[in-house]
Amino acid sequence: MDRFENMNAFVRVVETGSISAAADRMDVAKSVVSRRLKELEEHLGVELFHRTTRQMNLTDSGRAFYQQSVRILADVLEAEHATSQFHGRLKGHLKVAVPLSFGLMHLGAAIPTFLQTHPDIEFDLDFNDRQVDLLAEGFDLAIRIANLPDSSLIARRLAPIQAVMCASPAYLERMGTPQAPEELIRHRCLVYNLVSHSDNWNVYGTTGELIKTRIIPYLKASNGEFLRDAAVDGLGIVLLPTFIVYREIQRGALIPILTGYHYAQLAAYAIYPQTRHLSQRVRAFVDFLSQRFEGMPYWDACLNQ
């Protein structure tokens, strides 16, 4: 039994969703993949899949083995590259989870620049605001906008993130400009709904005191760009990171309000599990992002206009 080949076949079945698709990707007969899976399960003494006539779902044992297998295969590939003609040239896959708005607005332009230096890297990008399970879903790293709590993950801070409350000139002319957080209860608020307690906005005074401000959401959405555009259209007041709204503020489509107050201090982080060493691919990409986003708060210049 070739454990490496059997492990590789298992990973390909998980990634493609079926034995036949895995066989096509590996350019081998379907019977070969089936035999390798059978040998692997017999060797391990467990079932790796729940099999039905239509699909194959991982068992708990299969899910745990998949996580380890992906890392082992990646490490083997990296070891081969480090001692082959590709020495000094990065090659392989990078699976990265990225917040939707931040990824589209600021990572989309970064990836081509990185690939100019490392053309053999193959990216698998998941643009989604949900908090993924890096280990369970096989991600190499994730970019998160957060006040990062303690966890089993290793994080590298890439850039500070500020928030700003703003509305369109038309809305403020029609509804008036609030002068204190307590006045927001009388306004139409456009709310990001992937946070807890979306009926409150935490505002901090000049001395740092927390003012838990009750609002009545007029419109909720799970995407910051949608909420920004709704604010530009005059639908209400929005509280968003400056990297989403700075262009609209610079051109006057949105006006910052309650500028004497502050909001939770967040940052963009690159995170990855501490259970695996940092591969050369991940290290190079994180270093690249850190350098690219260093001093990036040009988007915060809009607050000082």
Side-chain angles (χ1 to χ4, degrees):
M1 183 186 75
D2 188 323
R3 293 183 186 178
F4 182 82
E5 289 299 332
N6 290 353
M7 185 184 295
N8 184 57
F10 164 67
V11 169
R12 296 296 171 260
V13 171
V14 175
E15 290 176 345
T16 60
S18 71
I19 290 176
S20 58
D24 289 341
R25 177 178 292 188
M26 298 172 66
D27 196 24
V28 298
K30 181 180 175 181
S31 59
V32 172
V33 178
S34 297
R35 175 176 54 78
R36 288 176 178 171
L37 285 184
K38 182 179 179 181
E39 287 180 354
L40 188 59
E41 289 182 320
E42 289 177 350
H43 173 72
L44 296 172
V46 298
E47 287 189 349
L48 298 173
F49 292 99
H50 294 298
R51 293 169 171 83
T52 68
T53 55
R54 292 189 175 183
Q55 59 185 356
M56 299 175 65
N57 297 317
L58 286 171
T59 63
D60 290 342
S61 296
R63 190 172 296 107
F65 188 69
Y66 171 71
Q67 295 167 10
Q68 297 294 332
S69 297
V70 169
R71 291 196 289 273
I72 290 170
L73 292 174
D75 290 343
V76 169
L77 182 62
E78 187 168 341
E80 290 177 346
H81 291 158
T83 55
S84 70
Q85 72 262 30
F86 293 107
H87 180 64
R89 183 171 176 176
L90 297 180
K91 186 172 183 174
H93 289 79
L94 272 179
K95 186 175 182 181
V96 185
V98 189
L100 180 59
S101 294
F102 186 84
L104 292 177
M105 297 179 69
H106 301 292
L107 203 64
I111 296 294
T113 302
F114 181 78
L115 289 175
Q116 288 176 4
T117 306
H118 306 290
D120 295 320
I121 294 292
E122 299 174 7
F123 277 97
D124 182 355
L125 301 175
D126 183 341
F127 291 92
N128 201 307
D129 287 343
R130 68 187 177 90
Q131 185 165 314
V132 301
D133 186 326
L134 270 67
L135 281 174
E137 299 181 55
F139 284 95
D140 293 290
L141 73 153
I143 308 300
R144 286 186 184 164
I145 308 297
N147 181 359
L148 208 62
D150 292 336
S151 70
S152 60
L153 301 171
I154 298 175
R156 180 166 172 183
R157 192 172 184 267
L158 300 176
I161 301 294
Q162 290 194 53
V164 60
M165 195 178 296
C166 51
S168 71
Y171 175 86
L172 297 175
E173 182 178 352
R174 185 174 74 251
M175 302 295 293
T177 301
Q179 302 300 313
E182 297 79 14
E183 297 179 22
L184 290 172
I185 194 69
R186 298 193 296 271
H187 282 267
R188 294 179 173 180
C189 294
L190 315 179
V191 179
Y192 183 69
N193 63 10
L194 292 184
V195 295
S196 58
H197 308 297
S198 60
D199 57 350
N200 287 288
W201 279 344
N202 288 339
V203 181
Y204 294 86
T206 54
T207 60
E209 74 279 12
L210 172 62
I211 306 170
K212 191 175 286 290
T213 304
R214 177 164 170 71
I215 60 172
I216 299 177
Y218 178 67
L219 173 65
K220 292 183 178 182
S222 61
N223 179 257
E225 291 173 278
F226 177 86
L227 293 171
R228 176 202 63 201
D229 293 345
V232 170
D233 289 339
L235 295 189
I237 295 173
V238 72
L239 175 61
L240 287 172
T242 53
F243 71 78
I244 294 179
V245 297
Y246 78 96
R247 291 190 179 95
E248 285 67 28
I249 291 176
Q250 287 176 334
R251 64 183 176 88
L254 291 174
I255 306 297
I257 63 174
L258 297 178
T259 54
Y261 297 86
H262 304 282
Y263 310 96
Q265 292 296 305
L266 305 176
Y269 292 92
I271 63 172
Y272 46 91
Q274 63 180 354
T275 52
R276 69 178 298 182
H277 71 276
L278 197 60
S279 73
Q280 292 180 354
R281 297 186 305 280
V282 173
R283 188 186 306 277
F285 188 54
V286 172
D287 287 346
F288 166 78
L289 292 180
S290 179
Q291 294 170 9
R292 183 178 181 87
F293 295 136
E294 184 178 10
M296 188 67 156
Y298 60 74
W299 53 53
D300 290 341
C302 62
L303 301 181
N304 302 316
Q305 291 183 326

